[in-house]
Amino acid sequence: DIQMTQSPSSLSASVGDRVTITCRASQSISSYLNWYQQKPGKAPKLLIYAASSLQSGVPSRFSGSGSGTDFTLTISSLQPEDFATYYCQQSYSTLYSFGQGTKLEIK
Amino acid sequence: EVQLVESGGGLVQPGGSLRLSCAASGFTFSSYEMNWIRQAPGKGLEWVSYISSSGSTIYYADSVKGRFTVSRDNAKNSLYLQMNSLRAEDTAVYYCARVNLKRFVSYMDVWGKGTTVTVSS
């Protein structure tokens, strides 16, 4: 099975900050990497698919990069509505797996 | 509007069974692969099961293999998860999610709001 590891597990930042979250796969997954945002009590929302493609309707301050085993999600200028938990997910294997999540909190 | 609505959650005793349903609307259900994902209280997301558009290909996480059965009825635009031999560690919110595909990469672009399963005596 492919293990996904995110860092950091939690992060405090301020509105306007640039934030980067990292996701590492236990083996190469090419660009089969997606990012989701989840707010408390809500379903996850797709942000980025195929490592760097922005899902329709998602603000352009979100971007993704990477391939192989190392990936990043960047938020260029944090907005109040961005404070949430973020998950990476691999679809290289049909036995999908998620990272443990990164909780982004207000400093 | 593209929508997924889960139902069937509830309180069940350890060793019991429950059947979850996911009703799809606003898109051609029979054309899409589907997943079940769960989230235990205060924990992260865990993929549970996958089913192909025709239902011919199915996968399960090791944690539920042999106990859970996924199925679909394309005529009824519905996805199901039959859960048997339930354990306390199966307590979670269960989401159904649509699988989409672009540039050979699959991702989950539509999610239901979830249904809560509690396994407790």
Side-chain angles (χ1 to χ4, degrees):
Chain A
D1 293 1
I2 300 175
Q3 310 300 320
M4 306 301 294
T5 304
Q6 290 180 232
S7 60
S9 295
S10 63
L11 175 60
S12 294
S14 302
V15 172
D17 284 354
R18 179 183 180 90
V19 167
T20 297
I21 298 169
T22 297
C23 178
R24 176 164 289 176
S26 60
Q27 66 179 73
S28 177
I29 58 170
S30 185
S31 295
Y32 292 75
L33 191 282
N34 308 309
W35 290 97
Y36 301 86
Q37 175 194 66
Q38 187 181 33
K39 297 181 178 179
K42 301 294 187 181
K45 171 188 173 183
L46 176 69
L47 297 177
I48 301 284
Y49 63 93
S52 61
S53 294
L54 193 67
Q55 171 68 351
S56 176
V58 174
S60 59
R61 62 181 179 272
F62 291 92
S63 64
S65 65
S67 66
T69 60
D70 294 317
F71 302 87
T72 59
L73 173 70
T74 299
I75 310 173
S76 60
S77 178
L78 273 174
Q79 299 302 301
E81 61 268 29
D82 300 337
F83 292 94
T85 300
Y86 293 84
Y87 295 92
C88 61
Q89 174 251 324
Q90 64 81 20
S91 57
Y92 181 85
S93 162
T94 44
L95 304 182
Y96 291 2
S97 50
F98 291 89
Q100 81 278 17
T102 295
K103 187 173 184 179
L104 181 52
E105 299 174 305
I106 301 173
K107 184 183 287 185
Chain B
E1 179 190 6
V2 174
Q3 195 172 12
L4 296 170
V5 179
E6 302 93 339
S7 61
L11 174 64
V12 61
Q13 292 187 338
S17 297
L18 213 53
R19 189 196 196 205
L20 305 184
S21 298
C22 170
S25 59
F27 65 99
T28 305
F29 179 71
S30 60
S31 297
Y32 288 88
E33 304 161 9
M34 298 292 294
N35 279 320
W36 285 100
I37 310 298
R38 69 183 180 182
Q39 187 170 36
K43 302 297 185 182
L45 301 170
E46 179 188 15
W47 169 78
V48 172
S49 183
Y50 159 94
I51 186 167
S52 63
S53 56
S54 66
S56 61
T57 301
I58 286 172
Y59 300 106
Y60 298 101
D62 287 344
S63 58
V64 307
K65 197 176 297 182
R67 300 187 299 121
F68 289 13
T69 302
V70 63
S71 62
R72 64 191 296 161
D73 185 338
N74 287 341
K76 294 184 177 180
N77 293 330
S78 293
L79 175 71
Y80 307 101
L81 187 67
Q82 176 67 43
M83 304 186 296
N84 298 332
S85 304
L86 282 162
R87 307 166 179 165
E89 54 265 36
D90 296 319
T91 294
V93 175
Y94 284 74
Y95 298 100
C96 60
R98 186 180 82 170
V99 178
N100 211 333
L101 181 70
K102 279 185 185 174
R103 291 163 35 201
F104 306 107
V105 178
S106 60
Y107 51 92
M108 292 172 279
D109 65 342
V110 179
W111 294 65
K113 293 184 177 181
T115 188
T116 300
V117 172
T118 303
V119 184
S120 174
S121 55

